Amino acid sequence: GAVVSQHPSWVICKSGTSVKIECRSLDFQATTMFWYRQFPKQSLMLMATSNEGSKATYEQGVEKDKFLINHASLTLSTLTVTSAHPEDSSFYICSARDRGASGGELFFGEGSRLTVL
Amino acid sequence: DAKTTQPPSMDCAEGRAANLPCNHSTISGNEYVYWYRQIHSQGPQYIIHGLKNNETNEMASLIITEDRKSSTLILPHATLRDTAVYYCIVRSGSGNTPLVFGKGTRLSVIA
C-alpha cells in the first residue's frame, strides 16, 4: 500500500510553545489529507481536512487558530499546535488518499505523540 | 456519529479464524464498507473494503449480506500479531471524504 510518514513520532514540549507535525505522502500525491486526534483509550476524532493550495476545513469544536494547517504541496501537510497546553497532549494522526488511484482507501501515518508539560 | 455497530471486544484462539461482525443498517447505495485496524500506539492500517460483493485479499475476507445491512470481516488464521482494534466504517465512494471512526472491536488473539 501507499506510504504516509509523519515526523516527529513523538515530541515533548513546554506549555506555551508551538509544535509542528509533518505529514508526507512518500510515493504518491495527495490533494487532500486528513488530521485526526486520539486520546488514550478513545477512538480517532477527525480534526480537519487539509486541501492542497487552499484553506483547511475544520470540524466543529476544533479551533483553527490553535491548530494551524498548511498543505503547501501535493506531498506535504503540516499541523502546528500553537501555544500548546497540557490538554493538547494527544496522539495526532494524518491520512491521505492517492489521487492517482482508482480506489478510495485512505492510508495513515504512524502517528505523532505530543506531550505538553 | 459513526454509522456502524460493532461488539466492543472479542477473543480468538491463535490459528483459528476470527470473524468480526458489523451492523450498518442505514448504509446508502453509494457507500462502501471499509475495515481498518489499529495496533496499539500505531496509525490505522487499511485491511479491505467492498460495496456489495464479497472481497478477499492477502489479509482478510469481507462478507457483505445481500441487503448490505451487515458484514463480517474474516481473518482466516489469526496470529498474536492480529491483536488490535478493528474498525468497520461506511463511507461514500467519492474518495475525498474522511473516515469517521466509531469505537471498533478490540480483538485479542490468545495463544
Side-chain angles (χ1 to χ4, degrees):
Chain A
V3 179
V4 176
S5 179
Q6 283 184 239
H7 178 80
S9 300
W10 57 270
V11 57
I12 301 172
C13 71
K14 294 181 179 180
S15 186
T17 61
S18 295
V19 175
K20 179 186 286 187
I21 299 170
E22 294 184 346
C23 176
R24 293 182 184 275
S25 56
L26 297 187
D27 51 359
F28 66 97
Q29 293 181 331
T31 53
T32 303
M33 293 184 175
F34 303 100
W35 285 96
Y36 294 82
R37 176 168 57 180
Q38 186 175 33
F39 293 108
K41 297 186 178 182
Q42 295 187 21
S43 187
L44 285 79
M45 292 173 46
L46 179 67
M47 297 177 65
T49 300
S50 171
N51 302 297
E52 187 267 337
S54 63
K55 292 183 178 180
T57 304
Y58 291 82
E59 295 300 300
Q60 189 173 9
V62 178
E63 301 176 55
K64 63 180 182 180
D65 294 330
K66 181 168 184 63
F67 299 98
L68 301 179
I69 291 173
N70 183 281
H71 193 156
S73 78
L74 290 172
T75 60
L76 174 64
S77 175
T78 61
L79 169 68
T80 301
V81 184
T82 63
S83 185
H85 288 92
E87 57 266 30
D88 298 324
S89 298
S90 189
F91 193 48
Y92 292 86
I93 310 167
C94 70
S95 72
R97 173 182 170 265
D98 182 351
R99 72 168 188 164
S102 58
E105 55 266 41
L106 297 179
F107 298 96
F108 287 80
E110 316 95 318
S112 299
R113 187 165 301 281
L114 170 64
T115 300
V116 184
L117 302 177
Chain B
D1 291 341
K3 301 180 182 179
T4 63
T5 303
Q6 298 177 253
S9 64
M10 292 181 64
D11 291 339
C12 177
E14 187 178 20
R16 303 297 294 269
N19 297 285
L20 292 89
C22 179
N23 287 322
H24 31 79
S25 58
T26 60
I27 192 170
S28 58
N30 69 338
E31 289 183 317
Y32 287 70
V33 179
Y34 284 83
W35 283 84
Y36 282 77
R37 71 180 182 184
Q38 186 179 27
I39 296 170
H40 184 62
S41 294
Q42 297 182 23
Q45 177 188 21
Y46 167 79
I47 301 173
I48 199 167
H49 75 283
L51 183 62
K52 56 182 179 181
N53 297 324
N54 297 337
E55 302 287 344
T56 296
N57 63 20
E58 65 278 5
M59 288 184 69
S61 295
L62 173 60
I63 307 299
I64 303 174
T65 58
E66 192 169 345
D67 63 7
R68 303 214 315 129
K69 293 185 177 181
S70 66
S71 61
T72 300
L73 178 74
I74 302 172
L75 307 178
H77 305 286
T79 70
L80 297 178
R81 288 177 295 180
D82 292 321
T83 293
V85 178
Y86 286 77
Y87 296 97
C88 168
I89 303 167
V90 296
R91 171 172 170 257
S92 72
S94 68
N96 283 328
T97 56
L99 292 164
V100 178
F101 287 80
K103 296 182 179 180
T105 296
R106 181 172 298 277
L107 175 69
S108 297
V109 180
I110 303 168

